[in-house]
């Protein structure tokens, strides 16, 4: 692998420490061509699709991309914001808010964000931070629950980027924060704020809170991935904070893809079952997504609503992701503060978070 030409080193008069938020990625535009380009990169990652590459690429190029491009583009158009893709918009807001929060705490760090797939990729942003003077970079995946298909894939790209650097920065990684108390507090506050506006569900009559996580093939868990355990941990601790009994909430998994057996129960199937069983109200929160995106706004917010109401349900509430909620930004600042210990990230008057 060729080593990149290093520009003349520029002494930094501000921060030599950076924090890089990492999210999954998104197409640049809600068009079939942009969708196919994005999906080709995403679905070619061996961390995501664990099928022999030659076989899988034939399926991907000849069947999946031609068929899914137009259909997925329509889904993206239904949730696209004037500023662009919701995932980009909300992740940018998170990075900006975290920068301000850390500055207020006396940290002199450079906060940026990157995407694993698509534009503004990890390699590009690591290089940019290094050129801005960063000698130490903390990687913060926006995936609270560890999974090889997301967290490990992001770290893979970061360390691959380092292979091409002659003058490498020092890296630290945050593996997961599935049971990090400030993150759980922010989730609980998000639910309570929604209930304060829309009223508490009538749990006595069967109403439910669904905690919907992104699904993965069951085989991945059987091979040792801790993702399922992390999802269960987050859901259980959140339910305790909300004082919910086992009968008042349900853990489900969404976004099934392909014919392999995936984690169950499936979110769409549960919504249909509850509606058919006469449950009048369902509230849905996606704790594993820190920023609203296609999978939350369209799959849960639009498709999930249609599924539940069509089956006989009466009231459907999608509770938005944390996005740039102040308590969530505070929790990220606390998390970053823990992992920056020992690095020169605060000025002399800074107060530790």
């Amino acid at each position: 692998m060729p080593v990149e030409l290093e520009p003349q080193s520029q002494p930094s008069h501000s921060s030599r420490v950076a924090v890089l938020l990492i999210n999954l990625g998104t197409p640049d535009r809600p068009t079939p061509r942009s969708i196919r380009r994005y999906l080709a990169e995403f679905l070619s990652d061996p961390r995501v699709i664990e099928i022999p590459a030659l076989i899988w690429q034939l399926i991907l190029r000849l069947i999946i991309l031609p068929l899914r491009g137009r259909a997925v583009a329509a889904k993206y158009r239904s949730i696209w914001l004037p500023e662009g893709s919701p995932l980009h918009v909300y992740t940018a807001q998170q990075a900006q808010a975290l920068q301000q929060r850390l500055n207020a705490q006396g940290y002199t760090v450079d906060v940026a964000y990157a995407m694993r797939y698509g534009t503004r990729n990890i390699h590009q942003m690591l290089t940019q931070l290094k050129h801005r003077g960063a000698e130490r970079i903390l990687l913060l995946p926006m995936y609270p629950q560890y999974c090889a298909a997301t967290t490990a894939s992001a770290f893979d790209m970061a360390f691959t980027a380092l292979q091409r650097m002659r003058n490498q920065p020092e890296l630290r990684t945050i593996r997961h924060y599935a049971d990090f108390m400030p993150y759980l507090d922010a989730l609980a506050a998000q639910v309570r704020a929604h209930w304060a506006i829309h009223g508490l569900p009538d749990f006595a009559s069967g109403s439910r809170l669904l905690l919907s996580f992104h699904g993965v093939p069951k085989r991945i868990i059987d091979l040792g991935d801790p993702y399922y355990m992390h999802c269960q941990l987050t859901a259980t601790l959140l339910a305790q904070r909300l004082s919910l009994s086992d009968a008042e909430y349900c853990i489900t998994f969404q976004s099934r893809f392909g014919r392999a057996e995936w984690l169950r129960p499936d979110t769409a199937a549960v919504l249909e079952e509850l509606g058919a069983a006469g449950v009048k109200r369902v509230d849905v929160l996606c704790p594993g997504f820190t920023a609203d995106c296609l999978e939350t706004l369209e799959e849960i917010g639009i498709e999930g609503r249609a599924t539940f109401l069509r089956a006989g349900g009466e009231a459907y509430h999608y509770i938005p992701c944390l996005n740039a909620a102040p308590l969530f930004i505070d929790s990220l600042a606390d998390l970053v503060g823990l992992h920056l210990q020992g690095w020169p990230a605060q000025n002399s008057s800074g107060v530790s978070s």
Side-chain angles (χ1 to χ4, degrees):
M1 183 177 293
V3 178
E4 298 171 340
L5 177 66
E6 289 285 344
Q8 191 68 28
S9 185
Q10 298 294 323
S12 172
H13 296 291
S14 55
S15 173
R16 294 183 182 272
V17 176
V19 178
L20 184 63
L21 278 57
I22 302 175
N23 219 319
L24 189 75
T26 174
D28 295 325
R29 291 175 294 279
T31 62
R33 183 177 180 181
S34 183
I35 300 294
R36 287 193 294 268
R37 185 168 56 248
Y38 170 76
L39 288 178
E41 181 185 2
F42 172 47
L43 296 177
S44 294
D45 185 348
R47 288 283 197 181
V48 174
I49 304 295
E50 297 185 14
I51 297 176
L54 180 59
I55 298 173
W56 172 244
Q57 284 300 317
L58 288 173
I59 299 172
L60 178 64
R61 304 288 172 173
L62 297 179
I63 301 175
I64 295 176
L65 294 181
L67 293 177
R68 289 181 64 85
R70 192 171 300 277
V72 176
K75 294 177 183 291
Y76 269 104
R77 285 195 297 272
S78 71
I79 55 99
W80 208 257
L81 299 174
E83 305 92 330
S85 167
L87 186 66
H88 260 299
V89 171
Y90 294 129
T91 306
Q93 290 175 359
Q94 289 169 337
Q96 182 181 21
L98 181 59
Q99 178 75 77
Q100 295 170 350
R101 185 71 180 91
L102 292 172
N103 288 348
Q105 291 182 341
Y107 285 95
T108 54
V109 298
D110 191 352
V111 179
Y113 75 95
M115 297 294 175
R116 172 60 182 88
Y117 312 101
T119 55
R120 200 180 177 94
N121 66 50
I122 295 170
H123 187 170
Q124 174 190 353
M125 295 311 301
L126 284 175
T127 301
Q128 189 176 121
L129 288 172
K130 189 164 73 80
H131 290 172
R132 275 154 43 180
E135 297 175 346
R136 298 176 175 89
I137 303 174
L138 174 65
L139 304 182
L140 171 52
M142 301 306 285
Y143 319 121
Q145 298 77 29
Y146 175 93
C147 181
T150 52
T151 313
S153 178
F155 295 161
D156 287 347
M157 175 168 261
F159 289 112
T160 297
L162 258 62
Q163 292 179 22
R164 300 187 60 182
M165 296 180 184
R166 188 177 304 277
N167 182 16
Q168 294 180 340
E170 183 179 349
L171 289 189
R172 285 182 182 174
T173 63
I174 297 179
R175 184 170 181 266
H176 79 90
Y177 41 103
D179 58 349
F180 188 54
M181 288 189 291
Y183 153 70
L184 295 165
D185 291 339
L187 282 176
Q190 188 80 348
V191 176
R192 292 191 187 102
H194 184 87
W195 287 347
I197 296 172
H198 299 280
L200 194 69
D202 186 3
F203 292 117
S205 68
S207 294
R208 296 281 189 89
L209 172 66
L210 263 59
L211 303 177
S212 180
F213 295 86
H214 199 292
V216 297
K218 184 176 179 295
R219 177 176 175 272
I220 292 174
I221 306 303
D222 294 339
L223 291 173
D225 196 298
Y227 177 69
Y228 180 76
M229 178 184 68
H230 284 179
C231 293
Q232 295 284 335
L233 182 61
T234 295
T236 300
L237 294 174
L238 175 58
Q240 290 175 0
R241 277 167 167 71
L242 295 171
S243 300
L244 298 178
S245 70
D246 291 345
E248 294 171 339
Y249 78 100
C250 182
I251 304 169
T252 63
F253 297 91
Q254 63 183 85
S255 309
R256 290 176 59 189
F257 176 77
R259 297 182 179 180
E261 182 182 0
W262 279 50
L263 292 179
R264 295 181 184 275
D266 175 66
T267 300
V270 171
L271 287 172
E272 187 169 5
E273 291 169 5
L274 292 175
V279 172
K280 294 183 178 181
R281 172 175 167 175
V282 164
D283 292 12
V284 186
L285 175 73
C286 300
F289 295 86
T290 53
D292 273 310
C293 57
L294 183 73
E295 287 81 2
T296 64
L297 296 172
E298 198 281 332
E299 182 181 355
I300 300 299
I302 298 176
E303 290 186 16
R305 178 187 304 277
T307 298
F308 180 67
L309 298 181
R310 186 170 55 245
E314 297 181 7
Y316 183 91
H317 295 259
Y318 167 63
I319 302 175
C321 290
L322 291 167
N323 297 320
L327 273 183
F328 179 54
I329 300 304
D330 288 346
S331 75
L332 292 180
D334 290 345
L335 186 65
V336 165
L338 290 173
H339 287 268
L340 289 182
Q341 293 185 47
W343 278 2
Q346 284 184 294
N347 57 40
S348 58
S349 61
V351 178
S352 178
S353 63

